[in-house]
Amino acid sequence: MTDNHATSRRPTIRDVAAKAGVSKSLVSLVYSDPSAVGEVRRQRVLKAAGELGFTPNFLARSLAATSGHFIGILVANLHNPLFAELVDLIRLELDTMGEYALLTSATLPSPDGPPVIDQRTMRSLMDLHPKSVLVVGSIPHFGVLNEIPREVPVVVAAAIPQGFPRASVVRTNDAAGVLLAVRHLAEQGHQRIAHISGRSGPVSEARKLGYLAAMRACGLGRYARVEEIAGDLESQGYEVAKRLLRSTRRPTAIVAFNDLLAIGALDAVTDWVRAGGDPIAVTGYDNTFLAGLHRYSLTTLDADNLAIARKAAELLVHPPKARSRGSEFLLDPTLIVRSSSTV
């Protein structure tokens, strides 16, 4: 009975230290700050840990410490493929840097409207003392992040954190991207180019203003038309595109806030063409995996998620020192032309 219990218990730092012939503090340092340990001793510790089947309990260490050994990730929307891709890329970058991340959703779905902040989950994450925090996407009321201790660096990716000026921000240049889309459509001969704007917020506002400026820059200001909706789902893109197609000032092209709205708009255009209507050009934003599917072949803006991920990871692990306000890093997107805009 005793032998079975002994062989089934979880190995500890003490066991690893004894097997590797080093101190417990050195084993702890290997997992908390691997760059601070020489390569020979680090490999000796990792070899001993592997043979024993030891894995460090990061959460227990974080609860016992004033500063944790992991990076907390809050995702605005688990259903948006853009955010899923960004999180995967950032986690891969962190892994190559020897960092551990803990991921959770920042919001709860609301049956009567837009998502709401998941206060309990956010507080639980902070109780574990992350050494830095990443927010991916736009969350309702960024001001809630002011509850995060000032000594904890915060990085925001793919969003504009109004009400939280100390965050470091890495995002796409929205105005430059929309200009590329509008200019591309104008070069195809389109004048009546409409814009489907997503959920109210700073990113949708930036893209809407970018669209209006782009229309003026292309000499098409008088044709500008914005349809604002309270969401960014495919079904909402479908419904607003149907309204546009039935209107007396029917557009010949649509610039959507993101790929999800654009795909909904493309479905509406498909129904329209099947009923005998003329083809309508559509563009999206984000170059999610959906855009490249043969069914959609969606022209869209590629925000260079890999570059965003690398910069975000760098800021999480090596945050700027002595700052009261965060820095903003704007990355210029690239237009990916597919068949949806060459009708």
Side-chain angles (χ1 to χ4, degrees):
M1 178 75 72
T2 304
D3 288 342
N4 288 339
H5 176 73
T7 56
S8 63
R9 74 175 179 84
R10 178 174 178 170
T12 66
I13 283 182
R14 183 179 288 104
D15 298 324
V16 176
K19 187 172 183 63
V22 299
S23 66
K24 289 191 300 179
S25 59
L26 182 70
V27 176
S28 179
L29 192 61
V30 166
Y31 289 100
S32 63
D33 189 7
S35 62
V37 182
E39 181 66 15
V40 173
R41 291 199 296 173
R42 186 170 70 86
Q43 289 302 326
R44 187 192 309 164
V45 168
L46 293 176
K47 182 175 183 293
E51 291 174 354
L52 291 171
F54 169 81
T55 54
N57 190 331
F58 287 100
L59 299 186
R61 289 166 60 204
S62 292
L63 284 169
T66 56
S67 178
H69 302 284
F70 75 98
I71 292 168
I73 300 179
L74 294 167
V75 186
N77 182 351
L78 293 175
H79 301 285
N80 190 318
L82 167 67
F83 301 153
E85 180 179 334
L86 269 176
V87 167
D88 279 348
L89 289 172
I90 292 169
R91 290 175 64 201
L92 284 171
E93 288 296 316
L94 292 173
D95 185 64
T96 63
M97 302 166 80
E99 299 290 342
Y100 171 76
L102 185 63
L103 166 71
T104 186
S105 172
T107 62
L108 284 170
S110 173
D112 303 317
V116 296
I117 286 289
D118 187 349
Q119 295 275 13
R120 289 183 300 178
T121 297
M122 289 184 61
R123 290 194 181 107
S124 296
L125 182 68
M126 297 315 302
D127 286 344
L128 296 173
H129 311 301
K131 62 181 179 181
S132 57
V133 172
L134 169 70
V135 181
V136 179
S138 296
I139 63 174
H141 316 299
F142 267 99
V144 300
L145 298 180
N146 285 301
E147 297 181 15
I148 298 175
R150 293 197 63 84
E151 64 270 18
V152 177
V154 179
V155 177
V156 174
I160 303 174
Q162 287 184 341
F164 190 66
R166 76 175 177 89
S168 296
V169 182
V170 189
R171 65 183 183 89
T172 180
N173 187 332
D174 298 291
V178 177
L179 175 60
L180 288 175
V182 171
R183 187 174 287 160
H184 164 69
L185 292 169
E187 290 171 352
Q188 303 294 310
H190 294 283
Q191 294 182 322
R192 297 194 308 275
I193 305 170
H195 176 55
I196 300 179
S197 182
R199 191 189 312 279
S200 61
V203 174
S204 59
E205 184 68 13
R207 292 185 186 176
K208 180 182 73 174
L209 294 177
Y211 158 78
L212 293 172
M215 290 293 282
R216 291 192 297 269
C218 293
L220 302 174
R222 66 187 181 279
Y223 298 107
R225 180 177 180 181
V226 176
E227 291 287 333
E228 297 189 46
I229 57 178
D232 55 9
L233 302 176
E234 300 99 310
S235 59
Q236 293 164 316
Y238 179 83
E239 292 300 327
V240 73
K242 280 203 308 184
R243 291 201 304 270
L244 284 168
L245 295 172
R246 292 170 180 167
S247 65
T248 54
R249 292 180 57 241
R250 183 170 60 253
T252 63
I254 295 172
V255 173
F257 164 72
N258 66 6
D259 285 356
L260 294 178
L261 288 177
I263 284 171
L266 274 175
D267 285 338
V269 169
T270 298
D271 291 348
W272 169 260
V273 172
R274 284 173 179 167
D278 294 329
I280 307 294
V282 177
T283 68
Y285 206 119
D286 296 330
N287 196 28
T288 61
F289 77 94
L290 297 171
L293 295 178
H294 178 72
R295 173 182 174 183
Y296 298 112
S297 188
L298 176 66
T299 293
T300 185
L301 278 306
D302 188 320
D304 197 348
N305 287 339
L306 181 57
I308 290 177
R310 286 174 174 166
K311 189 63 184 180
E314 174 192 328
L315 292 168
L316 287 165
V317 179
H318 304 293
K321 300 189 186 315
R323 57 180 176 77
S324 59
R325 296 180 66 88
S327 302
E328 183 175 63
F329 301 88
L330 288 180
L331 302 180
D332 287 333
T334 303
L335 182 70
I336 307 299
V337 178
R338 299 189 178 99
S339 61
S340 73
S341 67
T342 57
V343 296

